[in-house]
Amino acid sequence: MNIRQAKEQIKNAMTAYFTKDELGNYIIPIEKQRPVLLIGPPGVGKTAIMEQVAAELGVGLVSYSMTHHTRQSALGLPFITQQEFEGYEYQMSEYTMSEIIGSIYALMRETDVREGILFLDEINCVSETLAPCMLQFLQYKVFGQHQIPAGWIVVTAGNPPEYNKSVRDFDIVTWDRLKRIDVEADYETWREYATAKGVHPSVLTYLSARKKDFYKVESTADGKHFVTARGWDDLSEMIRLYEANDLTVDELLISQYIQTPKIAKDFAIYYDLFRKYRSDYQIDAILEGTAGEDVLFRAQHAPMDERMSFLGLLFDAVTAKLREVCGKEDVLDLLTPVLQDAKAKMPGGAPAQILEELIDAQKNALEKGRKASSLSLDKQKAMQRMVIALEEMRAEIFRQGVSDGEAGFAIVREAFDGMLDDLKEAAAGGSDALSNAFDFCERAFEREEEEISGDEILIFVTELTVNYYTARFIGHYGCDKYYMHNKELQFEQRQVEIANRVSDLEWIL
């Protein structure tokens, strides 16, 4: 299955395992909760989806690579204790708490998170001294004499033996205690994630035309050559940082992440061409509705591969604007209940002190969520921006020397209204940019003789539909041109379905 399907399987299993009866007991006891084992090639996103699952379920996450552990670090160290049985004293061996289990308790103490996921990577590469203990752990969730806390689920991961010489085979007894999920590299699934995350458009447009370059592992006379989803993701982040700092993105950089020479060279050539398109097409001018006729003429007469690169640039720029609006919405959504709390407290107290207490509470919640991995990166950023807004409100109260609760909240309210106005202005700008993008695409790509959209517009509409931020923006603020072209897209899809169905019936008859 692909990584998205694997993620849903894990989330469903976690939801089932976290289910309690009317007395508050877990319906499936801890020893009956089969650990999940993700088996798949390196770099397909096995670790990344665990971070996503923890954030989406709001639970903690403790991760360990089992290749780094010996019997002593995993099980704990032995020590001698005195025990009395039937009047006689005996010396017995006991074990200190495992580092792994100890880290769960430490996280629970620091974050107050009571449920979570223990993720053990490279589970099928454990050392020889540790291997005999794994069966006991997988069945009873016990390392040494200590069991993982109730409410914590075990998820493991490993690579197939063809990718790792250290892999050891599990016997049937061990396999029978695992929920095995086999994961394969799948470009279309990764592309959904990559588009939502904001992977650099040069990477997305390159791979859309060369899907075979998305994932590859091969042995040659020069050694192992490989390209993975992780490599493309990491390269994308580095490209954005290099561009922001006016550093040169070249084949030397690309080959550090794309470790198949031919693909690294091909992408380096494509990236240089992509940069030229970005300069020539004046994307900012298109979104402002001021692009010249020369840009329109070039788009109308560009070959298909250039049009795809152009669409990638246009979609990336539109998404950045709409994502910014969504970010402002998130901050206001988080800020509203906090300010409602402040409003209830301010009539009887000092406004600056009340805000300081609320700021401390939000900082504490953010830090705990970050440590527990129970907050997504977007949620963390929204909370950070909310804290900054609260600190600015508190600073303004100090500047004006206000000590009265009602006057203090009036300052808070004015600041909130300013943020709301800023959101409205950003949303209006996003709507204008989206409409201008559609206007340009209609002029460049509509088939006048048929009065319908060209494939390029339908591709643009599809990207807007599947991307979380653009779909969310359109759902909140609307876009007439999107709705018009989306109906056309749905009509064309329906026509294809009908044609396929007719073909099937003809074959049957």
Side-chain angles (χ1 to χ4, degrees), residues 219-233:
S219 297
T220 70
D222 299 326
K224 290 280 189 182
H225 291 162
F226 57 90
V227 184
T228 68
R230 182 191 295 124
W232 287 114
D233 197 358

Side-chain angles (χ1 to χ4, degrees), residues 345-507:
K345 294 177 178 177
M346 278 193 182
Q353 179 63 32
I354 290 170
L355 282 182
E356 183 175 355
E357 292 172 358
L358 292 173
I359 289 168
D360 289 342
Q362 293 303 316
K363 285 183 175 179
N364 187 44
L366 173 59
E367 185 60 24
K368 287 182 176 180
R370 183 184 288 121
K371 284 184 177 179
S373 298
S374 58
L375 297 175
S376 67
L377 289 178
D378 281 349
K379 184 70 174 290
Q380 291 179 34
K381 290 179 181 178
M383 291 185 70
Q384 286 178 289
R385 293 188 178 108
M386 175 188 63
V387 167
I388 291 172
L390 289 170
E391 290 175 334
E392 290 174 349
M393 293 173 188
R394 179 174 173 271
E396 185 61 29
I397 289 174
F398 270 123
R399 277 194 292 269
Q400 296 190 27
V402 173
S403 58
D404 176 70
E406 289 189 9
F409 190 75
I411 293 174
V412 169
R413 180 73 200 195
E414 182 180 359
F416 182 84
D417 289 343
M419 294 176 68
L420 191 58
D421 290 340
D422 184 46
L423 169 63
K424 292 177 181 177
E425 182 179 348
S431 294
D432 289 342
L434 188 57
S435 294
N436 289 334
F438 270 113
D439 286 342
F440 185 89
C441 288
E442 286 172 349
R443 294 169 63 197
F445 304 130
E446 272 195 338
R447 306 168 191 159
E448 296 181 2
E449 68 280 4
E450 302 174 33
E451 294 186 350
I452 63 171
S453 302
D455 292 338
E456 297 83 357
I457 298 182
L458 299 184
I459 290 171
F460 187 61
V461 169
T462 301
E463 295 295 339
L464 293 172
T465 303
V466 301
N467 181 272
Y468 169 76
Y469 298 101
T470 54
R472 171 178 157 182
F473 179 92
I474 293 170
H476 286 184
Y477 301 100
C479 177
D480 291 339
K481 288 185 178 294
Y482 167 83
Y483 294 132
M484 179 186 70
H485 289 292
N486 192 40
K487 284 182 180 178
E488 185 176 303
L489 172 63
Q490 292 173 350
F491 174 76
E492 287 200 358
Q493 289 175 337
R494 183 58 181 154
Q495 289 289 85
V496 170
E497 291 173 4
I498 292 172
N500 290 339
R501 181 58 180 155
V502 169
S503 177
D504 291 341
L505 290 173
E506 289 175 347
W507 181 82

Side-chain angles (χ1 to χ4, degrees), residues 20-69:
K20 299 178 181 178
D21 61 20
E22 68 279 3
L23 299 176
N25 302 313
Y26 291 103
I27 293 177
I28 302 178
I30 190 169
E31 65 272 11
K32 294 293 185 181
Q33 296 173 359
R34 288 192 175 198
V36 174
L37 172 58
L38 287 170
I39 289 287
V44 296
K46 299 188 292 296
T47 303
I49 65 168
M50 295 317 307
E51 296 169 353
Q52 296 170 26
V53 168
E56 291 173 17
L57 294 179
V59 300
L61 177 66
V62 172
S63 301
Y64 273 96
S65 173
M66 295 308 294
T67 56
H68 300 156
H69 280 280

Side-chain angles (χ1 to χ4, degrees), residues 191-469:
R191 192 173 191 280
E192 293 177 17
Y193 151 82
T195 304
K197 185 182 178 183
V199 165
H200 197 277
S202 64
V203 172
L204 290 174
T205 52
Y206 174 85
L207 290 177
S208 291
R210 300 169 178 83
K211 295 182 177 64
K212 62 181 178 59
D213 290 349
F214 168 61
Y215 194 99
K216 184 176 293 187
V217 178
E218 57 187 4
S219 297
T220 70
D222 299 326
K224 290 280 189 182
H225 291 162
F226 57 90
V227 184
T228 68
R230 182 191 295 124
W232 287 114
D233 197 358
D234 292 347
L235 174 62
S236 165
E237 291 188 16
M238 193 57 72
I239 289 175
R240 288 199 183 276
L241 291 173
Y242 267 49
E243 291 178 346
N245 290 281
D246 293 323
L247 300 174
T248 301
V249 175
D250 55 19
E251 188 177 344
L252 291 176
L253 171 71
I254 293 167
S255 62
Q256 296 166 29
Y257 296 88
I258 308 304
Q259 299 188 43
T260 296
K262 184 180 184 306
I263 296 177
K265 180 180 288 293
D266 288 347
F267 180 73
I269 294 171
Y270 176 79
Y271 176 77
D272 288 341
L273 189 60
F274 184 87
R275 287 188 61 200
K276 184 177 186 305
Y277 294 155
R278 180 161 51 191
S279 173
D280 292 348
Y281 274 107
Q282 306 170 27
I283 299 298
D284 289 341
I286 291 175
L287 297 187
E288 293 169 2
T290 59
E293 290 297 320
D294 56 330
V295 177
L296 178 64
F297 180 84
R298 174 162 184 170
Q300 289 172 330
H301 296 86
M304 182 54 70
D305 59 344
E306 182 174 327
R307 292 187 180 194
M308 292 302 100
S309 296
F310 163 74
L311 287 175
L313 284 165
L314 186 64
F315 180 74
D316 184 65
V318 169
T319 301
K321 287 184 175 292
L322 306 192
R323 185 170 187 165
E324 180 183 355
V325 175
C326 293
K328 293 178 183 294
E329 284 184 339
D330 290 340
V331 174
L332 289 176
D333 287 344
L334 290 173
L335 192 56
T336 299
V338 176
L339 295 187
Q340 289 173 342
D341 190 17
K343 182 179 181 182
K345 294 177 178 177
M346 278 193 182
Q353 179 63 32
I354 290 170
L355 282 182
E356 183 175 355
E357 292 172 358
L358 292 173
I359 289 168
D360 289 342
Q362 293 303 316
K363 285 183 175 179
N364 187 44
L366 173 59
E367 185 60 24
K368 287 182 176 180
R370 183 184 288 121
K371 284 184 177 179
S373 298
S374 58
L375 297 175
S376 67
L377 289 178
D378 281 349
K379 184 70 174 290
Q380 291 179 34
K381 290 179 181 178
M383 291 185 70
Q384 286 178 289
R385 293 188 178 108
M386 175 188 63
V387 167
I388 291 172
L390 289 170
E391 290 175 334
E392 290 174 349
M393 293 173 188
R394 179 174 173 271
E396 185 61 29
I397 289 174
F398 270 123
R399 277 194 292 269
Q400 296 190 27
V402 173
S403 58
D404 176 70
E406 289 189 9
F409 190 75
I411 293 174
V412 169
R413 180 73 200 195
E414 182 180 359
F416 182 84
D417 289 343
M419 294 176 68
L420 191 58
D421 290 340
D422 184 46
L423 169 63
K424 292 177 181 177
E425 182 179 348
S431 294
D432 289 342
L434 188 57
S435 294
N436 289 334
F438 270 113
D439 286 342
F440 185 89
C441 288
E442 286 172 349
R443 294 169 63 197
F445 304 130
E446 272 195 338
R447 306 168 191 159
E448 296 181 2
E449 68 280 4
E450 302 174 33
E451 294 186 350
I452 63 171
S453 302
D455 292 338
E456 297 83 357
I457 298 182
L458 299 184
I459 290 171
F460 187 61
V461 169
T462 301
E463 295 295 339
L464 293 172
T465 303
V466 301
N467 181 272
Y468 169 76
Y469 298 101

Side-chain angles (χ1 to χ4, degrees), residues 77-83 90-96:
L77 294 172
F79 63 93
I80 305 299
T81 63
Q82 295 288 129
Q83 296 287 345
Y90 298 89
Q91 290 186 330
M92 295 185 60
S93 295
E94 293 190 13
Y95 285 84
T96 58

